[in-house]
Amino acid sequence: MMRNVLSSGARLTAILALCALVLPALSQAQLVTFSKQELIDYTAQNPFARLPDGRPRVPDELLERARGLSSEEIWEVLEDKGYHNQYADGFQILHPGTTMVGRAFTVQFMPLRSDVNHVAEAKAKDHGIPRLTNQTAIDRLEAGDVLVVDLFGKKVDGTIVGDNLFYYVNVATHGGGLVVDGSVRDLDGISEIAMPAYFRSVDPTPIGNVMLTGINVPIRLGGVTVMPGDLVVGDREGVYFIPPQFVQELLDRADEIHIHDQWTKLKFAQGKYKSSEIYDSPTDPKLQQEYREYLRKRLEEIHRQRTAK
Amino acid sequence: MMRNVLSSGARLTAILALCALVLPALSQAQLVTFSKQELIDYTAQNPFARLPDGRPRVPDELLERARGLSSEEIWEVLEDKGYHNQYADGFQILHPGTTMVGRAFTVQFMPLRSDVNHVAEAKAKDHGIPRLTNQTAIDRLEAGDVLVVDLFGKKVDGTIVGDNLFYYVNVATHGGGLVVDGSVRDLDGISEIAMPAYFRSVDPTPIGNVMLTGINVPIRLGGVTVMPGDLVVGDREGVYFIPPQFVQELLDRADEIHIHDQWTKLKFAQGKYKSSEIYDSPTDPKLQQEYREYLRKRLEEIHRQRTAK
Amino acid sequence: MMRNVLSSGARLTAILALCALVLPALSQAQLVTFSKQELIDYTAQNPFARLPDGRPRVPDELLERARGLSSEEIWEVLEDKGYHNQYADGFQILHPGTTMVGRAFTVQFMPLRSDVNHVAEAKAKDHGIPRLTNQTAIDRLEAGDVLVVDLFGKKVDGTIVGDNLFYYVNVATHGGGLVVDGSVRDLDGISEIAMPAYFRSVDPTPIGNVMLTGINVPIRLGGVTVMPGDLVVGDREGVYFIPPQFVQELLDRADEIHIHDQWTKLKFAQGKYKSSEIYDSPTDPKLQQEYREYLRKRLEEIHRQRTAK
Amino acid sequence: MMRNVLSSGARLTAILALCALVLPALSQAQLVTFSKQELIDYTAQNPFARLPDGRPRVPDELLERARGLSSEEIWEVLEDKGYHNQYADGFQILHPGTTMVGRAFTVQFMPLRSDVNHVAEAKAKDHGIPRLTNQTAIDRLEAGDVLVVDLFGKKVDGTIVGDNLFYYVNVATHGGGLVVDGSVRDLDGISEIAMPAYFRSVDPTPIGNVMLTGINVPIRLGGVTVMPGDLVVGDREGVYFIPPQFVQELLDRADEIHIHDQWTKLKFAQGKYKSSEIYDSPTDPKLQQEYREYLRKRLEEIHRQRTAK
Amino acid sequence: MMRNVLSSGARLTAILALCALVLPALSQAQLVTFSKQELIDYTAQNPFARLPDGRPRVPDELLERARGLSSEEIWEVLEDKGYHNQYADGFQILHPGTTMVGRAFTVQFMPLRSDVNHVAEAKAKDHGIPRLTNQTAIDRLEAGDVLVVDLFGKKVDGTIVGDNLFYYVNVATHGGGLVVDGSVRDLDGISEIAMPAYFRSVDPTPIGNVMLTGINVPIRLGGVTVMPGDLVVGDREGVYFIPPQFVQELLDRADEIHIHDQWTKLKFAQGKYKSSEIYDSPTDPKLQQEYREYLRKRLEEIHRQRTAK
Amino acid sequence: MMRNVLSSGARLTAILALCALVLPALSQAQLVTFSKQELIDYTAQNPFARLPDGRPRVPDELLERARGLSSEEIWEVLEDKGYHNQYADGFQILHPGTTMVGRAFTVQFMPLRSDVNHVAEAKAKDHGIPRLTNQTAIDRLEAGDVLVVDLFGKKVDGTIVGDNLFYYVNVATHGGGLVVDGSVRDLDGISEIAMPAYFRSVDPTPIGNVMLTGINVPIRLGGVTVMPGDLVVGDREGVYFIPPQFVQELLDRADEIHIHDQWTKLKFAQGKYKSSEIYDSPTDPKLQQEYREYLRKRLEEIHRQRTAK
């Protein structure tokens, strides 16, 4: 059943994107304000186009390529760039074998406080938004998004979705994914839906005792400052939030790392070498030469395949 | 191999039930006394028949229907009734995809203390019970039971069963299940047996340094007071202990929730609606009407199917 | 030595208050913007005057009365009002016997991310603020403030102050206090300064690998949404953040609770009564009458003393 | 102020003891029944008299001597007897320098469950007990008791007493003490009262969402099965629950251990010996002889002093 | 692909074994020295031949038989022998259904300290070893080894291997296995390789900030002192380190336990007996006789099969 | 009483030092061998004399000066030198206000394993050492030592000393101190002795189920590689292990930091400056000049005082 949904995804994108335009803008109607202009200012290094809400739009073809990434490949580039805080782990992972890839759609909740929430709800109504709930955010998701939620680790009453809304997120994002520093409900139901998800815990209670304080604002998730539009990549270990300006370089270097690992394992499989003769670079100049050849050829093949598409 | 056992389960029920009658009653021969009359008094709201030992006997057909329940559906009804403490989680789950359903057969252990245990053993002998061990309890299990054990979180020496006794419990309860605030042994062996099980940890030591203090007495398991005869339902998240008086209503409401979720997902799959237009109830009166129709028809179908059996 | 500082505090208030005005406004020069108007909007129920930066100004005489409060007295009133999320605990407490009282001055940090921080620093410079560091915030503290800092539980590199800046905070706030979801340095040095402080841990590293993202914005601290200007009260257990609109009523009810506890203990000390005959209200109508008399007299005395000042 | 209470304690004992007799017996009016006869059966090795409620009554003069005990001395004797499960630690300790000594008065709570509690309350009323609360238990305390409470580690809503009832317990038990696998309220207030107390945590909420299920029944506290009337000894490390039958021997051996430690330290202070020449018994026969002399003399002195009293 | 590697494993053994001889000896070129003679002295009870590096060489056919062992069977024999500290658990297990069996090849790291490491590196160079890294150890692995590493629980920078070196270890040990009190990288890549592995955590960082201090020296892993050459057996629960002198007896007794469990389950499956009539030994003399017969026959069969090979 | 011991310490040093020479050398009679020559090799950068056992001997007058150090001052210098792993925390601290200073005397235990221990004990006997216990190590302590023990975090059976041996260590080291990654016994008794101590936990059991594997060998304690002879400094936060080669520079820089902090606080106390105008260095050139003057004068004073001694 889920399959149908996913295969019909392409058609739905346009429809949903249209719907999204109808919803009123939220940036002034929330406790933590962050205008479209501020978002553009703070993500000024973005080399790509932008979504209507101002978020950087990492292109679809790069999202596709990013499905082959692993945490370690990302780590290397970001470390080189001096970005040491873009990785979060310690999650329960719904589908460990499936890589999660998408553009960060951020949502922030804070503990409920009636006096503050009262004002926020009134401001929201003034902007044509009837309620401030998790669905206020979820209704704005687009194809290619990953829903990234700060629920400050809350378990009881901290369930961002149950199986119904999880199903909706899957449809709306075309299987993008979910990362929540909080919990989910209906794990049995959710497990049957193919979308990747990372959460801290599971609880039968519905979300409550919190207030929605920001949509597509900068949020903190574990030790990471997540910006709206970051490229999100999750594997069996954890989740990386990659600033758009590094995506192209990172993917190119990942091509080389893949080839390097392939070659290394081929050599190891021969059983002729000690590990240090081959890894992480060959000690013998002849092997170095062999590797360089291999790398060049494989890169060419990859580029040929890509341009052939 | 296990399959055979399960398929031959029906035949065994009668035999085992007979055997059970032969065992001497335990209520006065344990540190924590709880007579059959006390059990009846404290479960007076039970609307069903009772087992020979006095426990409420949720009917087999309701056990069967309960296999479709999830924690969230149970949560809703119990919350309405003001029962906030019937859910326990934090377990290792042996077979995450299999729902556990059965009647609570409770067992309590306490830390060994020779002076007390000496008296308990003497009293037990006076009642024709040669020893007070985990097997004293396990030998009294019946078809449809879930073995629920308070071993106060003990890991080392807190293993209620290894694979041999786990196999026995499976045969005796007809695949009912096990919940233990303690540990199990022989995880490799146990994993090959289909019965659901929830435990805190695994350890190679056999049970020891504890004394059996109660069988079918009220026990505490995590934050729950479990009564003998409670309907036990375990899913991927945790375990619910449902007082018998709520079982019928809970199952009926679950029918509606299933239908509601089905309809909601059908609507979401169309990609025409924002989540808040449909969930958790439709905003458009026409959709409301459509849903009510759908609900009515599906409920009729379900009832027709059930009465047809 | 510290004593001198504290006794000369009165004189310094005026000087420091003047200085504060010289510092440029920060609300637009930080990642999380929250203008003075927004602060006023979101704390509209404040019945008191406001500080120049827009924060509610709970009057000094009420701060003084609040020194006699305990967590439990505060809990009761806030619970009645439906505020269940105003208490944080789990801190290391520097001076367990000393009550902390003051107006919340909030500061937020997030994990460092160069692209974002670069923009924030540039914006700050445009507003005449040379750097964005912990001292940018600390320099804005005023007499009567408690410094409340979200450092997301960071231990290593999460030290908001060492003994030098702790000393400064003590001088600037007139011994107000510090609450940090993070760490401090120089515990030996800090222990010699009388100001109350609540922190998660201690570490020898200086603050680093973070960016200052907000001053006097709404922050989350444990399970609490703290608003700038909240009345902060810390005792041996934890810290309460009290919305200004409840301060007067809370203090008045605390007077009654104090008297009630006094009377209760006097009765208990006589050794004539079971606890349930006296607590939490007397069962005997004559004792009830006696208590009402006592309460009335004591309240009169208190009011007389207060107006006499 | 507290001092007065304590010094007037002697007079109050008689009064309170009288009051206690007036309260109706509880053994049949609680979920976990444990009759006076059962208590006597299960503590049959008690060599001392009994309290009116059936608990062993370790004599006052032995309580007095027990104030000099440390955990290690108790450990040695109980280990010899094969009692490995009589020690609990991991508590917050109110007054670390003060040894807690008294007779165990046990109380058990379980998570609230309305159907069960309803029956228990009705049974209690039938026995003349209007309510089942923490005060139902506390009102039955006697001089020399230590209140030992199983609240299954509950923090929120798990506060057995606040400062008012803590004050009452202090008066009623003559400073006996409190051990709770749960929490307390009003830590500021409690800290001013001299009675020793061991608890897991502190919280501002009052006790709630639990039901009283047993008074003076066997309870589990950490890894210990505590019997009513056990000698409770708490020091800076944790709490021992000593079966009455071992008290005399344990105190006598403690005399020898004290003397041994005294002699050992005297020798060490001379700086002439390696530790292994003296401890744990002297290697040199002459020193052995010297020690035996010392031991004999000091034991004689102690006995002389005791009989002189 | 992995399959090929494994199936070609036999051919590679000889090649790799030859290579191993070429590498210079390490025992004097590491911080923790442990000469071949010391290794022989401290494993003097080894009844088998030795590897060239001095480690006991549990024969291949016993390794093969050990694949049928479970933790519980090992526990029983070692407990009898008075070895209570040979089991470690709390690991993440890569392939829960696969038993890990091999000879312990131990490696020890300690926190980096330049002054010490500088000397160690210089000593290593003097012995013809260019660097001291994880690969220095890994290059010395042989067929049938399990790599056992003390990285003192380090997560960040504590990754003993990524997928490339994990692949190498698999080739070099013929699928032996890995146990590390530390972490691994590239979990996605590693998951595709069939070799069993036990680790504490996963992290994207490469190994760093540590120094290699010993190869094939005694190490501590959890609560176990592991000696080079110990038989390592890992199952779904944890890992046993078995001194070679107990291997033969342990395997023989395991044969009996297997037969006993088989018979027990056959009896249980009949549904005629209470568990205590059969387990852990039959109460009825006729059944005892039946069991002894069964045991004798099955043992004969097993021995016939073995000698037939 | 303790006072006497401490004041008579000077006299005892000579006596104890003499005794120490009588004890046989241990380096070959333990599982982890580390000869005097190896110790000298691995601490080759030591600029000071050495103790008879080969350990660097940081001079007494530098130990005395080190009493004024705090963790933060040490952190700064070691960080500059690239030593990031010399700090351990997470201890229970016996006397939080007292700084611990001394030379590291290291001891290592490992989990007991009879086959290994048997050989070690035999080797020890061959070297004239009758037993391998905690006292074997403790008997070798000298004045100025801090006993640093790796008991791998063991609580039960991991108690390095009780009050008797703690007393001995105090006498032998002249109040040097104790750091143990393990536990102690007799906390009540130990609390009365003035020596500083850092331990993980407290337990009533005596040490057991372990074997002594090394005295004055390199050990790991938390994240630190401790070398025999390191300068150990403990404060309210944790413990630093300082390689001897950095001691002089570190103390000199600490003088400047002390003066800097003094001047900073004097300025802050005037209430005329914002924190950033003064700290961490003055922005105003005139203030800079003033500070330089102050620093110069105070350093001169300090040197004058030191040379005057």
Side-chain angles (χ1 to χ4, degrees), chain B residues 57-74:
Chain B
R57 194 184 185 291
V58 176
D60 285 349
E61 63 271 22
L62 296 190
L63 292 190
E64 211 42 59
R65 278 179 64 187
R67 287 192 195 285
L69 288 172
S70 75
S71 287
E72 287 71 23
E73 292 159 3
I74 302 166

Side-chain angles (χ1 to χ4, degrees), chain A residues 70-72 75 87 89 96 235-237 240 261 264-265 268-271 273-276 279, chain E residues 12 15-16 19 135 139 155 163-165 167-168 171 185-188 191 202-206:
Chain A
S70 74
S71 286
E72 287 70 24
W75 181 85
Y87 175 69
D89 61 5
D235 66 3
R236 268 177 215 267
E237 302 175 27
Y240 259 102
D261 288 2
T264 300
K265 285 176 188 156
F268 284 169
Q270 299 174 20
Y273 305 101
K274 288 289 156 195
S275 82
S276 54
Y279 183 79
Chain E
L12 299 181
I15 302 170
L16 283 164
C19 295
Q135 289 183 257
D139 280 357
K155 180 180 183 288
D163 64 347
N164 287 305
L165 289 179
Y167 186 95
Y168 179 86
V171 172
R185 302 168 71 206
D186 291 308
L187 187 53
D188 271 350
S191 299
V202 183
D203 204 74
T205 56

Side-chain angles (χ1 to χ4, degrees), chain C residues 122-137:
Chain C
K123 290 203 177 205
K125 277 223 180 69
D126 291 350
H127 287 76
I129 299 156
R131 290 186 315 164
L132 287 176
T133 70
N134 55 339
Q135 289 183 254
T136 314

Side-chain angles (χ1 to χ4, degrees), chain F residues 8-267:
Chain F
S8 67
R11 270 175 302 126
L12 299 182
T13 318
I15 302 169
L16 284 164
L18 275 170
C19 296
L21 298 177
V22 184
L23 295 170
L26 249 175
S27 62
Q28 299 311 311
Q30 51 191 23
L31 182 61
V32 177
T33 57
F34 198 66
S35 69
K36 188 170 164 180
Q37 188 54 48
E38 283 175 310
L39 175 52
I40 291 169
D41 289 355
Y42 278 101
T43 57
Q45 297 182 34
N46 167 47
F48 306 117
R50 288 180 185 273
L51 292 158
D53 57 17
R55 285 184 292 151
R57 192 185 185 290
V58 176
D60 286 350
E61 62 272 22
L62 296 190
L63 293 190
E64 208 45 55
R65 276 180 64 186
R67 287 190 194 284
L69 289 172
S70 75
S71 286
E72 286 71 23
E73 292 159 4
I74 302 167
W75 179 86
E76 199 173 304
V77 173
L78 291 184
E79 203 65 12
D80 275 9
K81 303 290 183 189
Y83 283 69
H84 310 298
N85 304 318
Q86 302 303 120
Y87 175 70
D89 61 6
F91 296 100
Q92 286 189 44
I93 304 179
L94 186 64
H95 301 302
T98 312
T99 303
M100 174 175 68
V101 170
R103 303 173 192 102
F105 181 102
T106 68
V107 182
Q108 189 196 50
F109 290 87
M110 288 176 78
L112 179 63
R113 186 174 160 148
S114 307
D115 51 0
V116 171
N117 197 40
H118 182 77
V119 178
E121 294 265 4
K123 290 203 177 205
K125 278 221 179 71
D126 290 352
H127 286 78
I129 298 156
R131 289 187 315 164
L132 286 176
T133 71
N134 55 341
Q135 289 183 255
T136 314
I138 286 169
D139 280 358
R140 280 158 173 80
L141 286 166
E142 300 186 32
D145 285 351
V146 168
L147 177 59
V148 185
V149 184
D150 174 11
L151 261 160
F152 47 98
K154 202 172 171 61
K155 181 181 183 285
V156 175
D157 302 335
T159 49
I160 181 65
V161 292
D163 65 345
N164 287 306
L165 288 179
F166 191 86
Y167 187 94
Y168 179 84
V169 173
N170 185 28
V171 172
T173 65
H174 294 196
L178 166 67
V179 190
V180 58
D181 187 11
S183 55
V184 296
R185 303 167 71 206
D186 291 310
L187 187 53
D188 272 350
I190 280 175
S191 298
E192 289 166 17
I193 301 169
M195 186 173 78
Y198 294 70
F199 42 87
R200 299 290 184 204
S201 50
V202 182
D203 205 74
T205 56
I207 194 168
N209 198 23
V210 295
M211 54 190 182
L212 178 75
T213 53
I215 296 180
N216 280 326
V217 301
I219 65 170
R220 184 179 60 76
L221 204 118
V224 184
T225 297
V226 183
M227 293 299 287
D230 277 350
L231 172 60
V232 184
V233 179
D235 66 3
R236 268 176 216 267
E237 302 176 25
V239 183
Y240 259 101
F241 300 90
I242 307 166
Q245 60 267 30
F246 303 131
V247 170
Q248 184 70 56
E249 177 177 346
L250 197 150
L251 288 168
D252 291 345
R253 280 172 66 172
D255 283 345
E256 294 194 32
I257 295 172
H258 285 174
I259 296 166
H260 171 264
D261 288 1
Q262 223 167 7
W263 185 82
T264 300
K265 284 177 190 156
L266 281 170
K267 286 292 146 189

